[in-house]
Structure formats: structure tokens, C-alpha cells
Amino acid sequence: IRGNYFCYTRREPVGVCGQIIPWNFPALMAAWKWGPALATGCTVVMKPAEQTPLSCLRMGELALEAGVPEGVINIVPGYGPTAGASLVQHPGVDKIAFTGEHITAQTIMKDASQTLKRLTFELGGKSPNVIFADSDLDAAVAGAEFGLFFNQGQCCCAGSRVFVEESVKEEFVEKLVSRAAERKLGNPFDTSTAQGPQIDQTQLDKILSFIEKGKEAGAACVTGGNRFGDKGYFVEPTVFDNVTDDMPIATHEIFGPVMSILSFKDTDEIIERSNRTFYGLAAAVWTRDVAKAHHYAQSVRAGTVWVNCYDVFDAGAPFGGFKMSGIGRELGEAGLNNYTELKTVTMSLD
């Protein structure tokens, strides 16, 4: 700084952090939220999803046993309109970190405007998974299967729009359908089970309604498409072929085991169509051409791009979305910065 002054900056804890997490990864989401908050010196008031409060409550007990002082981690189970809204509106809460649907985030943003709370959102997606003809097709099939059906399709970054280059689409669909049809559904505690139930009746009904919308729109349901069994909330692994960009199954986040397969002709076309969504959480590209992979990665508007893989995470790599898939990033240094305020101190040396 000019003159006889000493200037420095420091990062300080943002303060009391309200954290609202979803039900699809109840323990992992708590860990993703607690880690940076505690590391930066903040305190936490967490509202777990009403469907899955027990994981978070048990983690709170373990935190006390591990020596975390009372009052540093606070867990408030409840419903969004009551417990969640109270956190957002409370003037003593300095920040809200929310993972969930963009519609809920819009409500949080409105309510938080009264106190100008710091906000970070990790929201949904309709992520494109692009398979070029020059890719290792067997690897791409396996990656597409995992990228969509992992956790019963209940994953914010699920590769639910699978774009396949025209010349290999028929072969890809045949291989993918064979793998999907062989997935074993049942008790998730059975190690041979590949797919367990959906979270609850509401989610089951939502998924089945989208399957019907896909059929009504003219997409070809090439495997699955039904509820599995008459007990529990199981949905067959479902694959739709001949999907177009404007169909509801290609535009809405279903959050279930429903894959849409679309075809494309060239790189410019697939970049434009990949970005034809208000989401921007993740994307993937499968190709042996390194230049093509990098060109796609820099052109698609998504917070995470996988090349010849899917759902590979590193705790040091930031995760979050473009557009309506979120604000801010979790994990890595970027995740720590969300929980600090930056202060400038300037001192006269006279």
C-alpha cells in the first residue's frame, strides 16, 4: 500500500451457519456441510430432511463423543416450512447452506433477503452424458448405467440425458438395455442387490408419472417402465429411446431410475443441445479424441465435467453448479471460502 501503512487481510468465520440437507445421501451431505463450517471456526444448526433424520442425529451423538463441544453442532429435525423457514428467517443465523431443489432455493433466497444472509446452494440437474462414436463403447455403456442408476437415480448430478452419436446409437442402446434389464432389485442390505427402493411413496408416484409422460410423448420405453413388485417403493430400471429435447422426461429432473437416450450428429450440435437447459450441474463426454474432450469440457456450462468416467469425486475438487444448479461450491478450498468473511486491516506506521 502507498505511504507509511501496513495492510493485510484475514479470513474470519462467517458465524452461525444454518445448513439444510436432502434425503438422498443423508450422512454424506452432513459431512460435506459440517467439514468446512467447523474447519473455519463456524457453528452449525443443521436441519436434516424429514425423511432421513436419524443418520444426522446419530452423527451428532458421535460428534459429542469425539469431543466436539456442546453447542458447536446443533441438529433441528423438522419440516421445511417450519424448521427450515425458521432457520432462514432468524436474524441470529449468518449463513444458509442448502442442498435440494431449485424451487426451494428460490423461496430461501426470498426469505433470506430480509437479513441479507450469505447463501450457498447446491441444487438439481439434468446432466448431459455424451457418447461419441470414437469412444470405448463398452466403457461408455457401463458409465452411463452407473451415471444414471446409481442410488436408484436419486442423485443431483445423474446423467439422465444420454446423447449418443447416431452411427453407434443402435449398438449402444442394445448393450445398455441388456445391462439395465439384468440389474437385481431388492433388499439393499443384500450384497447382490444392485438397486434398492426409492425414498418414499411421494417419490415413487412422481417417477411413475414421468414414465407415463414419456410414453404419452412418444418416446420408446425399451426396458422397464413399471413399478417392481407390490411391496416397497421399487421402480424398474427404465430406459427411453427416441427421446427429443422438448419431452418432459428430457427437461425435468425426475430423480429416479429413468434414462432418456437422444441421438446427435456432430460436436457443435451436441454442445448447443447440452446447454439447452436451465440446469448446469454436471456433464460427461466419452471419446478417445483428447482435443474433442477438452473442447466439449470448455464449452458445456456445467460445474463438473467428467471425461471417460462418471461420478468420480475428490474431496479437494470443488463441486457445484452453473445457472439454476446452484450458487457457490462445496469441497476443496472453494468450499472453505464459503464459510468465511474477508476482512482488510490497514494500520498507520507513524
Side-chain angles (χ1 to χ4, degrees), residues 193-265:
T193 296
Q195 183 175 313
Q198 310 306 135
I199 184 67
D200 58 18
Q201 184 71 48
T202 299
Q203 192 64 20
L204 174 71
D205 292 342
K206 175 186 175 183
I207 295 165
L208 293 177
S209 72
F210 269 106
I211 289 173
E212 288 307 308
K213 290 176 182 177
K215 294 175 180 178
E216 292 168 2
C221 184
V222 290
T223 190
N226 302 291
R227 179 178 181 176
F228 176 79
D230 56 3
K231 294 182 180 179
Y233 309 122
F234 294 89
V235 177
E236 294 175 344
T238 300
V239 178
F240 280 99
D241 192 10
N242 300 329
V243 178
T244 58
D245 294 311
D246 58 345
M247 291 182 179
I249 56 172
T251 58
H252 289 68
E253 185 179 36
I254 301 173
F255 228 60
V258 181
M259 179 186 294
S260 296
I261 298 180
L262 309 90
S263 64
F264 72 94
K265 295 180 180 179

Side-chain angles (χ1 to χ4, degrees), residues 102-290:
H102 73 276
I103 295 173
T104 306
Q106 290 170 328
T107 300
I108 291 173
M109 185 172 276
K110 290 177 184 176
D111 290 347
S113 67
Q114 300 304 308
T115 52
L116 291 180
K117 285 179 172 57
R118 278 63 180 135
L119 298 174
T120 51
F121 295 140
E122 197 269 280
L123 309 175
K126 195 67 182 175
S127 300
N129 190 3
V130 176
I131 290 91
F132 282 97
D134 65 354
S135 66
D136 179 337
L137 203 60
D138 288 332
V141 168
E145 179 194 18
F146 182 75
L148 187 279
F149 294 118
F150 171 61
N151 202 38
Q152 296 73 247
Q154 298 171 154
C155 186
C156 56
C157 56
S160 50
R161 289 188 297 152
V162 179
F163 292 94
V164 187
E165 195 166 355
E166 278 187 350
S167 61
V168 295
K169 187 172 82 75
E170 185 176 345
E171 182 182 359
F172 178 90
V173 171
E174 182 180 341
K175 289 174 178 288
L176 190 284
V177 167
S178 177
R179 289 183 65 104
E182 291 173 357
R183 291 177 65 83
K184 179 183 176 183
L185 278 69
N187 184 351
F189 292 102
D190 182 343
T191 56
S192 66
T193 296
Q195 183 175 313
Q198 310 306 135
I199 184 67
D200 58 18
Q201 184 71 48
T202 299
Q203 192 64 20
L204 174 71
D205 292 342
K206 175 186 175 183
I207 295 165
L208 293 177
S209 72
F210 269 106
I211 289 173
E212 288 307 308
K213 290 176 182 177
K215 294 175 180 178
E216 292 168 2
C221 184
V222 290
T223 190
N226 302 291
R227 179 178 181 176
F228 176 79
D230 56 3
K231 294 182 180 179
Y233 309 122
F234 294 89
V235 177
E236 294 175 344
T238 300
V239 178
F240 280 99
D241 192 10
N242 300 329
V243 178
T244 58
D245 294 311
D246 58 345
M247 291 182 179
I249 56 172
T251 58
H252 289 68
E253 185 179 36
I254 301 173
F255 228 60
V258 181
M259 179 186 294
S260 296
I261 298 180
L262 309 90
S263 64
F264 72 94
K265 295 180 180 179
D266 57 52
T267 303
D268 290 340
E269 174 197 341
I270 193 53
I271 289 170
E272 188 276 327
R273 291 173 66 195
S274 292
N275 290 329
R276 199 185 298 172
T277 173
F278 61 77
Y279 289 117
L281 188 58
V285 57
W286 300 77
T287 176
R288 289 187 172 95
D289 186 331
V290 174

Side-chain angles (χ1 to χ4, degrees), residues 64-112:
L64 288 173
E65 290 180 26
V68 175
E70 291 187 11
V72 173
I73 296 176
N74 308 275
I75 301 168
V76 184
Y79 293 93
T82 49
S86 296
L87 266 182
V88 173
Q89 296 166 8
H90 198 291
V93 176
D94 300 290
K95 171 188 166 58
I96 292 291
F98 169 75
T99 298
E101 291 186 306
H102 73 276
I103 295 173
T104 306
Q106 290 170 328
T107 300
I108 291 173
M109 185 172 276
K110 290 177 184 176
D111 290 347

